[in-house]
Amino acid sequence: MNSPQENTKFLENLNEEQIKAITLENQSALILAGAGSGKTKVLTSRISWLIQNQITSPTGLLAVTFTNKAAKEMLMRVTDQLPIHTRGMWVGTFHGLCNRMLRIHHKEVNLPETFQILDSSDQLSAIKRLMKAMNVDKETFPPKEIQYFINGKKDEGLRFINVKPYDPHSKRVNEIYGEYEKQCQREGVADFAELLLGCYELLKNNISIKEHYQQRFKHILVDEFQDTSELQYKWLKLLAGKDNFVFAVGDDDQSIYAFRGARVGNMQDLEKDFKIKNIIKLEQNYRSKNNILNAANAIIDNNTNRLGKNLWAASGDGDPIRQYVGISDYDEANYILDEIKMLHRGGLNYSQIALLYRSNAQSRVLEHAIVSNNIPYRVYGGLRFFERAEIKNALAYLRLISNKTDDNAFLRIINFPTRGIGARAIEQLQDQAKKNNCSLWEAAKEIESQNENIQKGVPFFVRLIKNLEDEIQGNSIAESIESIVIHSGLKDHYLKDKDGIDRVSNLNELVSAAVTFINTTEIENEALTLVEFLNFTSLESGELQASAGDDALQLMTIHSSKGLEFDAVFITGLEDGLCPHEQSLSESDGLEEERRLMYVAVTRAKNKLYLTLAQSRMLHGQTRYNLPSRFLDEIPDQLVKKLNSMKKQDVILSTTKTAPRSESKHELKIGSSVAHQKFGQGVVTGYKGDEKDLAIQINFSTHGSKWLLMEFAKLTLSLIHI
């Protein structure tokens, strides 16, 4: 038996609220743990306290995390605190624990003991194979769309027999779901979604098994509770029953995965379902300075239905938050790089500096500035812009058109998007090229000339490339890319993909890259323009991408930054339409989710926080003008040092569009900030018509883009500083 002093050793250096949470008597609890408040330490110390005080045995509790890394870290910390073996403990992810339970009870769910788990790519292959056997057209029913549907319904807890189709198309999709389930049963395999649904049904339909686990696991601990889905919460409720205790640690202000099925309302349901008497709030932050925390508090306070907390630190206020408004996205990027170089000269490692952005497409301009300054960098949780599959695919079409002997480009796109050219056909093509000592293109042309009326396979591909070549003749590079993306089928292909919107945004950004290249590059021979651009893209994806562990700038989306921390953080592109993202404004709870994203971004910074935006930004090959992000207005002025305070109407902006002469009469330039009685504040983005019938296009912060007749618009010039 350990001494009382040993019993409390792991409670040293903890604050009052942390100790209160760790030492709770037998009761369910909701620990509202703010960013940087030491939640992992609280969770592991709770496990140690329960075991040390013989409230439960190591095998009498179950702990759920969201990553295998977090589960391993939890077990490692427990063994550091207690002299116990963790081998028999049930600590892991939802999928890991469900897999363990299903293997024990495989007979009850009609699976073999040695059932195989299908990862995402294996599942997609299985769906494609099934659809071929069912003679289902892949164009009408894209396999990825089917995969998304199946996993979505399983996450909702619905088998195919429970789904109610609403039209012939959805009926056919559901039939594929039904046949897919039969195929998995027949082959003895389970996908990731099946692990959770199968385990939920196991407990729901087998009272004796449910009671066995309820008696065994009296204490259930859950990390990152705000990220649980509806089905995960239902499984936890079945496991806990009426008499067991749930210790949930989470932060409703950091719930940013609604697109993955996370349901922030689970936290409030837990409070009600488990009759939680009081919520313990961990508000002392051990990561950031108070200026940063106060900004985060002020932003998130604008959300409704929060459980509520207020972060604070004992480490002082720190430096003011710096805000910079660039004239353009390139000006914004250049400012960021100047600051980074200064920070590095001051002794800060590159790896302690993070550049955050709302969407992946924003990384291109930043990457260009980084490469130009010869600074090593790493795109965390993703690929560099010019290495992304959709970009490489689009460029491969350009490469083949410009150089018919480029076999690598040929092989990359001959069957992408899919056009019925199998591995055997490609192999025969390669044999033919080798025999004739020619390029794959020449070999393909020979096949095409012999099969003039065939509308598929290799002949179709050859004609597609010829048509694309004719289509872009005389076009600019930007126009050529736009044409290729559409007529090759790339855009339609990606729009059917689960992550399609992000990929299409990247393709649009490639158009912007081409426009910028032409505007900023001196080219002596116009005929070499396309070649020079392709060379530029290769150089931009050079060798500055660092490996994990190297000292390098960290670039990432805000979503990818969750759980990380850095000495200095730059949050870029803080404009309405980007952050918050324009798509969120039309979604229920969309703006609140975006605000939680901003909260997560701000709380990644330990010592220095930079907020940057651009007055004009190249999007989809066109210069756009956006209002500053509404989140900037939510930060108290005393926390922010504004490095420039330009007035929109005083800035002369370059644009491909020319305003009519009557513009000066109304004192409105493109980029001017105006106010409307009904629609509120907006930015002038364009004009059309003549002096007598002049219409003005305005991007309003709350009502989107609108065309108004100047004569009746009754606009006033806004003098708001940004």
Side-chain angles (χ1 to χ4, degrees):
M1 189 72 179
N2 294 320
S3 68
Q5 188 176 0
E6 290 175 320
N7 283 347
T8 60
K9 193 173 181 180
F10 51 81
L11 300 180
E12 292 176 359
N13 302 317
L14 297 178
N15 65 48
E16 186 179 337
E17 292 302 305
Q18 289 174 325
I19 293 172
K20 183 180 176 183
I22 293 165
T23 60
L24 272 176
E25 296 301 322
N26 284 345
Q27 59 180 279
S28 291
L30 176 57
I31 313 301
L32 200 59
S37 63
K39 70 175 179 66
T40 305
K41 189 166 187 173
V42 167
L43 202 58
T44 53
S45 297
R46 173 67 175 175
I47 294 172
S48 297
W49 189 83
L50 289 170
I51 297 170
Q52 184 89 306
N53 289 277
Q54 300 182 357
I55 297 169
T56 185
S57 68
T59 56
L61 59 82
L62 178 142
V64 190
T65 66
F66 268 80
T67 65
N68 288 315
K69 182 183 176 183
K72 288 177 182 176
E73 184 183 351
M74 191 177 291
L75 288 171
M76 194 185 311
R77 290 197 185 192
V78 169
T79 54
D80 286 342
Q81 294 174 349
L82 295 177
I84 61 169
H85 294 290
T86 59
R87 190 176 180 88
M89 292 181 67
W90 281 56
V91 178
T93 63
F94 278 100
H95 290 114
L97 294 173
C98 287
N99 172 50
R100 186 170 178 177
M101 197 173 285
L102 288 179
R103 292 208 182 269
I104 297 171
H105 306 284
H106 61 94
K107 291 180 181 177
E108 285 80 1
V109 292
N110 298 315
L111 283 171
E113 187 177 8
T114 56
F115 70 84
Q116 297 296 305
I117 299 173
L118 298 177
D119 62 20
S120 185
S121 61
D122 290 337
Q123 184 191 28
L124 187 60
S125 298
I127 291 169
K128 288 178 178 177
R129 178 161 46 86
L130 173 68
M131 289 174 63
K132 188 176 181 179
M134 292 176 67
N135 200 28
V136 176
D137 180 35
K138 289 194 293 185
E139 294 300 317
T140 309
F141 300 93
K144 280 200 171 182
E145 191 177 285
I146 301 296
Q147 182 183 33
Y148 186 65
F149 174 85
I150 291 171
N151 292 338
K153 293 305 173 187
K154 286 189 176 186
D155 287 341
E156 292 175 32
L158 298 175
R159 296 291 182 189
F160 78 98
I161 56 173
N162 308 120
V163 177
K164 295 180 180 178
Y166 50 86
D167 62 16
H169 184 90
S170 62
K171 184 180 179 183
R172 186 59 168 158
V173 171
N174 198 51
E175 286 171 357
I176 300 170
Y177 178 18
E179 291 302 314
Y180 170 77
E181 283 207 322
K182 293 174 186 175
Q183 178 177 280
C184 289
Q185 284 283 337
R186 190 168 60 249
E187 296 177 0
V189 296
D191 54 50
F192 281 121
E194 181 63 32
L195 295 176
L196 187 60
L197 179 55
C199 204
Y200 167 72
E201 291 174 340
L202 173 71
L203 297 181
K204 185 182 178 185
N205 301 329
N206 296 271
I207 295 174
S208 61
I209 294 174
K210 179 180 70 175
E211 288 178 346
H212 164 75
Y213 286 107
Q214 287 177 349
Q215 289 169 10
R216 175 173 178 176
F217 300 127
K218 290 295 183 183
H219 290 268
I220 300 168
L221 302 96
V222 189
D223 193 15
E224 303 286 5
F225 190 78
Q226 77 279 350
D227 294 333
T228 53
S229 68
E230 187 173 358
L231 186 59
Q232 287 166 344
Y233 182 58
K234 285 181 176 179
W235 179 72
L236 286 169
K237 279 178 64 178
L238 280 177
L239 201 57
K242 294 180 180 179
D243 302 319
N244 294 339
F245 310 110
V246 176
F247 186 90
V249 181
D251 183 1
D252 57 336
D253 292 332
Q254 293 191 76
S255 181
I256 60 172
Y257 296 123
F259 66 96
R260 293 184 190 169
R263 184 176 176 272
V264 67
N266 285 350
M267 299 188 80
Q268 292 175 331
D269 287 350
L270 179 85
E271 188 182 2
K272 179 181 65 180
D273 294 339
F274 288 87
K275 298 179 175 59
I276 292 172
K277 297 173 184 177
N278 55 60
I279 298 172
I280 297 176
K281 298 178 181 182
L282 305 182
E283 297 177 302
Q284 185 173 354
N285 178 283
Y286 295 92
R287 175 189 300 159
S288 309
K289 300 294 184 181
N290 274 317
N291 280 341
I292 295 168
L293 298 177
N294 289 336
N297 290 333
I299 292 167
I300 204 64
D301 193 49
N302 289 277
N303 273 3
T304 57
N305 299 317
R306 295 174 61 229
L307 293 169
K309 64 180 183 311
N310 204 56
L311 297 179
W312 63 275
S315 57
D317 291 340
D319 295 338
I321 298 164
R322 293 173 175 253
Q323 179 179 309
Y324 181 82
V325 185
I327 294 176
S328 68
D329 44 356
Y330 277 86
D331 181 41
E332 176 195 24
N334 288 332
Y335 163 75
I336 291 169
L337 266 294
D338 286 343
E339 284 296 311
I340 286 169
K341 288 188 286 187
M342 185 184 71
L343 291 170
H344 188 61
R345 286 195 299 270
L348 194 61
N349 290 337
Y350 287 129
S351 58
Q352 278 302 308
I353 305 172
L355 277 61
L356 310 185
Y357 35 82
R358 176 62 181 86
S359 64
N360 273 304
Q362 291 171 246
S363 78
R364 183 192 63 83
V365 174
L366 295 170
E367 286 185 60
H368 176 77
I370 293 167
V371 171
S372 301
N373 283 275
N374 202 35
I375 293 174
Y377 73 102
R378 180 181 175 224
V379 179
Y380 184 89
L383 297 168
R384 289 177 291 181
F385 182 81
F386 287 108
E387 287 184 347
R388 294 166 191 165
E390 60 275 18
I391 299 300
K392 295 184 79 166
N393 289 333
L395 290 175
Y397 279 95
L398 278 175
R399 290 184 189 281
L400 185 61
I401 289 170
S402 75
N403 176 17
K404 298 297 194 303
T405 62
D406 191 334
D407 285 353
N408 284 331
F410 183 96
L411 287 170
R412 185 174 187 93
I413 59 174
I414 184 172
N415 197 41
F416 193 89
T418 54
R419 46 181 69 93
I421 304 173
R424 179 62 184 149
I426 294 172
E427 194 177 302
Q428 290 173 337
L429 202 57
Q430 289 173 315
D431 290 342
Q432 183 75 7
K434 188 176 181 182
K435 181 182 173 182
N436 296 339
N437 193 27
C438 65
S439 67
L440 290 172
W441 172 257
E442 289 296 325
K445 269 179 48 182
E446 188 175 331
I447 294 174
E448 185 256 351
S449 65
Q450 300 167 2
N451 300 272
E452 292 182 4
N453 298 317
I454 296 178
Q455 298 299 309
K456 60 181 182 179
V458 173
F460 175 81
F461 174 69
V462 172
R463 284 169 212 146
L464 172 67
I465 297 300
K466 287 179 177 178
N467 290 338
L468 286 174
E469 190 170 13
D470 292 339
E471 180 83 22
I472 67 173
Q473 197 69 34
N475 286 355
S476 68
I477 299 173
E479 291 168 335
S480 298
I481 294 170
E482 282 188 296
S483 186
I484 284 170
V485 166
I486 293 170
H487 295 116
S488 68
L490 283 175
K491 185 174 182 178
D492 284 342
H493 170 81
Y494 286 122
L495 284 175
K496 294 172 183 175
D497 193 81
K498 178 183 173 182
D499 304 314
I501 293 174
D502 205 23
R503 292 185 184 276
V504 172
S505 292
N506 283 332
L507 289 171
N508 290 333
E509 185 60 25
L510 183 61
V511 177
S512 296
V515 171
T516 303
F517 172 78
I518 295 299
N519 291 340
T520 58
T521 307
E522 293 183 9
I523 298 175
E524 296 179 3
N525 187 345
E526 288 296 323
L528 294 177
T529 300
L530 178 56
V531 175
E532 291 290 337
F533 176 70
L534 291 170
N535 289 340
F536 161 78
T537 65
S538 298
L539 292 170
E540 284 287 289
S541 56
E543 299 180 355
L544 289 169
Q545 171 84 335
S547 303
D550 292 347
D551 185 31
L553 287 179
Q554 305 294 304
L555 273 66
M556 66 196 74
T557 63
I558 299 174
H559 279 105
S560 298
S561 74
K562 189 171 178 290
L564 304 176
E565 59 182 46
F566 304 92
D567 274 309
V569 170
F570 293 80
I571 308 175
T572 67
L574 286 173
E575 302 135 36
D576 268 10
L578 284 179
C579 185
H581 199 278
E582 58 189 355
Q583 287 180 318
S584 69
L585 303 179
S586 60
E587 298 172 357
S588 174
D589 193 43
L591 183 57
E592 296 217 345
E593 178 100 350
E594 291 290 305
R595 190 173 279 111
R596 291 193 288 271
L597 261 176
M598 184 67 180
Y599 175 84
V600 167
V602 168
T603 54
R604 298 312 93 197
K606 294 197 289 188
N607 296 310
K608 294 183 182 293
L609 177 62
Y610 297 81
L611 308 174
T612 68
L613 62 153
Q615 262 190 321
S616 67
R617 185 175 297 276
M618 182 83 68
L619 292 170
H620 310 172
Q622 294 183 329
T623 302
R624 304 281 181 92
Y625 304 90
N626 294 311
L627 288 168
S629 171
R630 63 195 70 192
F631 300 147
L632 294 173
D633 292 334
E634 295 172 357
I635 302 173
D637 289 341
Q638 64 268 27
L639 302 176
V640 182
K641 181 178 181 181
K642 295 184 179 181
L643 302 177
N644 49 1
S645 58
M646 294 180 287
K647 297 177 183 176
K648 284 193 177 83
Q649 70 277 11
D650 290 339
V651 179
I652 300 174
L653 300 166
S654 62
T655 176
T656 55
K657 299 179 181 179
T658 56
R661 289 183 180 180
S662 55
E663 179 189 348
S664 59
K665 178 181 175 181
H666 299 283
E667 299 182 347
L668 295 178
K669 303 181 181 73
I670 291 178
S672 292
S673 181
V674 296
H676 187 272
Q677 285 185 339
K678 180 178 178 182
F679 302 127
Q681 192 178 343
V683 173
V684 178
T685 59
Y687 294 87
K688 65 181 180 182
D690 54 29
E691 190 167 338
K692 294 180 180 179
D693 192 28
L694 180 63
I696 183 171
Q697 187 182 33
I698 303 172
N699 182 17
F700 292 103
S701 60
T702 54
H703 291 80
S705 185
K706 294 185 180 294
W707 284 98
L708 303 175
L709 286 171
M710 182 68 84
E711 186 178 355
F712 305 107
K714 295 182 179 178
L715 300 170
T716 56
L717 195 63
S718 174
L719 300 178
I720 296 175
H721 290 253
I722 60 172

